[in-house]
Amino acid sequence: REAAVADPTRKLEHARAAVALRPEDPRGHVNYGLALARMGDPDGARTSYERAIGIDPAAVLDVDRANHPELDD
């Protein structure tokens, strides 16, 4: 599971694999974008978030939650 992976490089690899396995799932793109952002690639993150939203416009909520965990409160 993604949450169990502590190393940022491994998180990125896991997220990339999830997108490859299920490219139609917007959650994978959100997780990949978050991993890219944490690795210092904001442009790549934005592209991944845009893909997620293109698949399902409601994914914008997942992007917001990923970037602003305080919204879950």
Side-chain angles (χ1 to χ4, degrees), residues 10-67:
R10 291 203 53 212
K11 282 185 180 185
L12 184 64
E13 292 168 1
H14 283 250
R16 184 182 298 129
V19 168
L21 288 171
R22 297 193 60 198
E24 74 287 351
D25 187 343
R27 294 172 299 177
H29 293 280
V30 171
N31 289 333
Y32 187 49
L34 186 57
L36 287 167
R38 288 183 176 158
M39 293 293 292
D41 184 0
D43 294 332
R46 179 184 310 271
T47 298
S48 192
Y49 296 149
E50 288 171 351
R51 286 185 183 136
I53 293 166
I55 294 166
D56 179 2
V60 71
L61 299 174
D62 293 330
V63 172
D64 281 342
R65 287 185 189 107
N67 288 304

